[in-house]
Structure formats: C-alpha cells, structure tokens
Amino acid sequence: MEAKIYVGTYGKYNEGSLHGDYLDLTEFVDVKDFYAACKVLHSDEDDAEFMFQDYDGIVNDMPEDWRGECYIKDIAFEFLKHFEGEDDKATHFLEWLKHSGYNGDFDYLKENFETAYIGEFESEKAFAEHHAEELGYYAAMEKAGINVRYFDEEAFAVDLFCGEFNFYSGVVFQSI
C-alpha cells in the first residue's frame, strides 16, 4: 500500500525552498518513529517545524483529523498496520468512514467497520440477488411451486437500501 508524505519545513519554505523528501508511512512503527525520521531528514535545522506539503497514495483518503499540514496522528499508523497487505479493504474502510459519521479510537472504528462490512458487489441488484439466495427466498419459492422469475430483485434492492444496507463505490455495508 502506498502511503507517502512529502516532508519539508516551514523554515525552508519561508526561505523559498521546498527541499525535503517523501517518507513512506508504512516503514514506521508509530508517529514517534516517523517524527524521528523527519528530524534526521532535516537535521540541518535546529528545532525544525515540519511541513507536510504533499500526500501520495492512501494518505490522500485519510480523514483530515488524522493528518494535516504539520501533524499526523498515531491512528494513521494503526490503520496502516491493521490493513497491511489488504489494500482494497483499507480503501473500503476509508469509504465507510467517510459516510458513516463514526469517529473515535481505531479499535472502536475497526470493530464497527467489521460489523458493517458485507463485501463488494457489482450493483445493489446484484447484492439483492445474493441476499435473497442467502436467505433462502428462491428455494422457498421453488418448494412452493412458484417460478423464481416472479421474484423482483430490483424492488427487493430498493427495500434493502432504504435503511438496512448502504452501497458506496461498489461495496455493501450494513447500517449499524
């Protein structure tokens, strides 16, 4: 997963220089480790004030309260560590977070995401078909002698996504 921040300093910026470098957040254990690397990068300045001038990769999608022009919080590192090797699921988590309104510590967010996350589907109708199969609707119709073609998946999808489920960017989440 790509998660880079371009680290400059306010001192250099005020002198007309953008000198700095990209640091890959996935290479650091926590925020303290990251800031230690920032200090090494800008060891030519006494008491450098770090300025995060650009983001690359998944950092762009992180909530703004996790990172800013001059700070990054430990929750960003917890997130990266938890979803290491699971790029798609990390993207789904951030999409869910954007729409869910949840905030708090990472364990709380992770627990709610795992409860809400259903999976990727091509459309709301595709999920409705899957869900109807899972619930045994088609089998019950066949057992009762009703042709399954009479089942209206589109209407079922409308009902499902009126409250019980949400569909964001090809991913279904249960409302919790």
Side-chain angles (χ1 to χ4, degrees), residues 79-97:
F79 162 79
L80 292 169
K81 219 176 292 169
H82 178 75
F83 288 108
E84 185 177 352
E86 296 184 276
D87 297 7
D88 288 344
K89 202 161 184 186
T91 300
H92 300 329
F93 175 87
L94 293 175
E95 186 70 24
W96 168 80
L97 193 58

Side-chain angles (χ1 to χ4, degrees), residues 27-45:
E27 295 177 3
F28 303 101
V29 175
D30 57 21
V31 73
K32 291 176 192 168
D33 192 28
F34 172 72
Y35 281 124
C38 292
K39 287 180 183 178
V40 170
L41 177 63
H42 293 289
S43 60
D44 59 331
E45 285 185 54

